[in-house]
C-alpha cells in the first residue's frame, strides 16, 4: 500500500479505550531518541499513568546526534541535557523518573542486531515483566529514520520473551514519507482519544527545549522540530498499528 493511502486508512482505524489497548497490564514505551516518547505516545503515557497502570519508558539512543557541531554542548553535556529534558517531559505526563531507562546507544547508529541489540531487548522484556506484560509500543518500522527502524527490530528480538504481550507501532516521521512510498499492507490497530491529555502532551514536547527552540544557538545545522510537525502529532488521537506476533 502507498504511504498516502496507508495514512488515510490510519485515520479511520477504530477508537479504542485504554483498557482495550492495555488489557489488565501496563505499558512499556520504547523510544529511539529522547522526545519520541512525547511526540508519539505522550497522550497514551498520560492516560496510563492517570489510570494507575504500570508504565515504563526505555530510551535507546543517547540523543547526541541532534547538534553535532555545538561547542557549548559537546556530546556528554548534550546527552545529559537530553536525559534531563526527558525526565522533565515525562513528569508532565505523570511518569516518575525511576521508571525511565536510558540505554545510551549511539544516536544515528542504534544497532538492530548483535550483542547490544540483544541486551536492549532484554531490558525491554524486563520492563514488560514489571508491567505485567500489558502492551509494548515502539516506533513504526517504516519510519524514515534508521534508529526508529532499529527500535522496531529490537522489540522484534524481545518478542519471544514477551509471551502474549501485544505490540503496537507508533509513527513519528512516517507522516513525512513521499506519498508513493510502498509501506506494506493496510494498517490494523487502534486510535486513542487523547483530548483530555493534549495540554500535558504539548508541555511534555516543549520540555525537550533543545529540540524545539534555539536553546543550542551555536550549531546552525542542529536539529529543530518544526511547529507544523508538532501540530501534526498533537491531534485529538494517537494512532497505534498492531504488530503481529
Amino acid at each position: 500500500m502507498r504511504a498516502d493511502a496507508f495514512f488515510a486508512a490510519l485515520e479511520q482505524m477504530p477508537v479504542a479505550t485504554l483498557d482495550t489497548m492495555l488489557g489488565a497490564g501496563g505499558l512499556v514505551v520504547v523510544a529511539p531518541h529522547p522526545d519520541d516518547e512525547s511526540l508519539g505516545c505522550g497522550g497514551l503515557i498520560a492516560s496510563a499513568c492517570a489510570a494507575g497502570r504500570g508504565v515504563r519508558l526505555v530510551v535507546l539512543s543517547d540523543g547526541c546526534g541532534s547538534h553535532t557541531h555545538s561547542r557549548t554542548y559537546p556530546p556528554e553535556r548534550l546527552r545529559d541535557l537530553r536525559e534531563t529534558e526527558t525526565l522533565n517531559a515525562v513528569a508532565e505526563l505523570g511518569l516518575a523518573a525511576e521508571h525511565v531507562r536510558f540505554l545510551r546507544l549511539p544516536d544515528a547508529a542504534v544497532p538492530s542486531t548483535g550483542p547490544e541489540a540483544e541486551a536492549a531487548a532484554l531490558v525491554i522484556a524486563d520492563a514488560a515483566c514489571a508491567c505485567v506484560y500489558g502492551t509494548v509500543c515502539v516506533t513504526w518500522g517504516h519510519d524514515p529514520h534508521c534508529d526508529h527502524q532499529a527500535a522496531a527490530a529490537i522489540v522484534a528480538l524481545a518478542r519471544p520473551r514477551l509471551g502474549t504481550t501485544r505490540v503496537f507501532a507508533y509513527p513519528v516521521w512516517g507522516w513525512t514519507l513521499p506519498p508513493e512510498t510502498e509501506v506494506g499492507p493496510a494498517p490494523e490497530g487502534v486510535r486513542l482519544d487523547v483530548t483530555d491529555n493534549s495540554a500535558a502532551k504539548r508541555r511534555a514536547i516543549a520540555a525537550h527545549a533543545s529540540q524545539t527552540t534555539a536553546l543550542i544557538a551555536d550549531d546552525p545545522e542542529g536539529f529543530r522540530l518544526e511547529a507544523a510537525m508538532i501540530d501534526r502529532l498533537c491531534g485529538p488521537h494517537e494512532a497505534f498499528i498492531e504488530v503481529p506476533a
Side-chain angles (χ1 to χ4, degrees), residues 51-76:
R53 299 300 188 97
V55 180
R56 300 292 186 273
L57 170 63
V58 180
V59 181
L60 298 180
S61 81
D62 57 19
C64 292
S66 67
H67 295 80
T68 56
H69 300 293
S70 173
R71 292 188 177 184
T72 57
Y73 283 89
E76 185 172 339

Side-chain angles (χ1 to χ4, degrees), residues 23-241:
L27 170 68
V28 178
V29 172
V30 180
H33 310 102
D35 76 3
D36 287 317
E37 81 297 326
S38 299
L39 293 166
C41 295
L44 173 60
I45 293 171
S47 297
C49 288
R53 299 300 188 97
V55 180
R56 300 292 186 273
L57 170 63
V58 180
V59 181
L60 298 180
S61 81
D62 57 19
C64 292
S66 67
H67 295 80
T68 56
H69 300 293
S70 173
R71 292 188 177 184
T72 57
Y73 283 89
E76 185 172 339
R77 188 182 183 203
L78 178 57
R79 181 200 70 202
D80 292 346
L81 171 65
R82 296 203 65 186
E83 290 182 0
T84 297
E85 289 176 341
T86 301
L87 297 180
N88 292 338
V90 298
E92 295 287 353
L93 304 174
L95 182 61
E98 60 263 30
H99 296 320
V100 181
R101 286 285 304 273
F102 296 102
L103 301 191
R104 295 180 172 180
L105 296 170
D107 193 349
V110 171
S112 57
T113 60
E116 288 185 311
E118 293 284 355
L122 282 174
V123 171
I124 293 164
D126 287 346
C129 178
C131 292
V132 200
Y133 294 103
T135 295
V136 173
C137 291
V138 65
T139 40
W140 186 43
H142 289 281
D143 258 10
H145 192 297
C146 58
D147 290 341
H148 290 219
Q149 295 163 16
I154 288 170
V155 169
L157 290 176
R159 201 73 188 258
R161 304 180 181 93
L162 297 179
T164 59
T165 298
R166 298 175 78 186
V167 175
F168 288 93
Y170 59 94
V172 176
W173 292 104
W175 306 96
T176 68
L177 285 168
E180 69 277 7
T181 306
E182 290 293 330
V183 295
E188 295 186 9
V190 298
R191 292 178 296 150
L192 185 70
D193 186 337
V194 296
T195 306
D196 290 347
N197 295 301
S198 59
K201 177 171 179 171
R202 283 194 177 270
R203 291 195 302 271
I205 294 171
H208 292 282
S210 66
Q211 310 300 295
T212 59
T213 73
L215 174 68
I216 302 177
D218 63 340
D219 184 357
E221 298 179 14
F223 174 78
R224 185 168 175 178
L225 279 162
E226 296 181 359
M229 180 67 175
I230 295 172
D231 289 343
R232 179 68 184 83
L233 292 169
C234 286
H237 298 95
E238 288 175 346
F240 298 96
I241 305 154

